[in-house]
Amino acid sequence: MVLPRCSLYDDLSWLCQSTVLDLFGGCQIPQYYVDNRVLSGSQVNQAVFLTLMKRKKKQRLKIMSLDLVHDGHLSHGINSSLIAMLHEIIPYRVNPQTELVDYEYEALEASLEREQPDLLIYGGSACPRD
């Protein structure tokens, strides 16, 4: 039997959550929540940023990433994050007509040309569209 890729990780995550809740007197999951995936990708992002800084011999990067209100990710540079304190973050947005990330969208292309970022973060959101 082939298990979906994340099923083992999900099982371990639920086991961790229920174990912590049991330690605190058998709390029920619907009333309390334990988040054991808080730093899942943030360290990886920081490793990429540091590597790029070293290669470009820069103290600070100019990073273009999807705006948080357009479904971007916190670890990609929301203004109050550590990443935004260390780097210049330039947000891009979804196409207002299609509400999708359109990498051929003229506004994004013009912004890339104008800003000349060191790094463009792109990709799918963790939030499903439907």
Side-chain angles (χ1 to χ4, degrees), residues 4 35 37 39 60 78 105 110 115:
D35 188 355
R37 300 181 193 195
L39 301 173
R60 182 176 167 91
I78 186 173
Y105 180 46
E115 300 293 345

Side-chain angles (χ1 to χ4, degrees), residues 99-113:
E99 297 183 349
L100 297 170
V101 175
D102 181 356
Y103 297 105
E104 294 177 13
Y105 180 46
E106 289 175 13
L108 176 59
E109 197 172 312
S111 187
L112 281 167
E113 240 175 76

Side-chain angles (χ1 to χ4, degrees), residues 26-124:
C27 300
Q28 298 298 309
I29 287 178
Q31 287 100 7
Y32 298 94
Y33 182 71
V34 175
D35 188 355
N36 58 320
R37 300 181 193 195
V38 176
L39 301 173
S40 58
S42 296
Q43 294 96 336
V44 175
N45 292 341
Q46 200 55 258
V48 170
F49 300 156
L50 290 169
T51 301
L52 193 55
M53 288 166 66
K54 186 175 179 181
R55 284 204 170 185
K56 290 183 164 275
K57 296 180 172 69
K58 288 188 162 188
Q59 296 283 324
R60 182 176 167 91
L61 295 176
K62 188 184 273 193
I63 300 170
M64 187 172 266
S65 63
L66 188 59
D67 196 334
L68 187 66
V69 298
H70 285 245
D71 224 9
H73 195 269
L74 290 168
S75 69
H76 295 171
I78 186 173
N79 287 336
S80 59
S81 72
L82 175 63
I83 291 167
M85 289 179 210
L86 299 174
H87 308 288
E88 180 183 353
I89 306 299
I90 301 128
Y92 66 89
R93 294 167 179 82
V94 296
N95 183 316
Q97 281 76 41
T98 64
E99 297 183 349
L100 297 170
V101 175
D102 181 356
Y103 297 105
E104 294 177 13
Y105 180 46
E106 289 175 13
L108 176 59
E109 197 172 312
S111 187
L112 281 167
E113 240 175 76
R114 181 180 61 251
E115 300 293 345
Q116 295 289 305
D118 297 303
L119 178 67
L120 169 67
I121 299 176
Y122 67 94

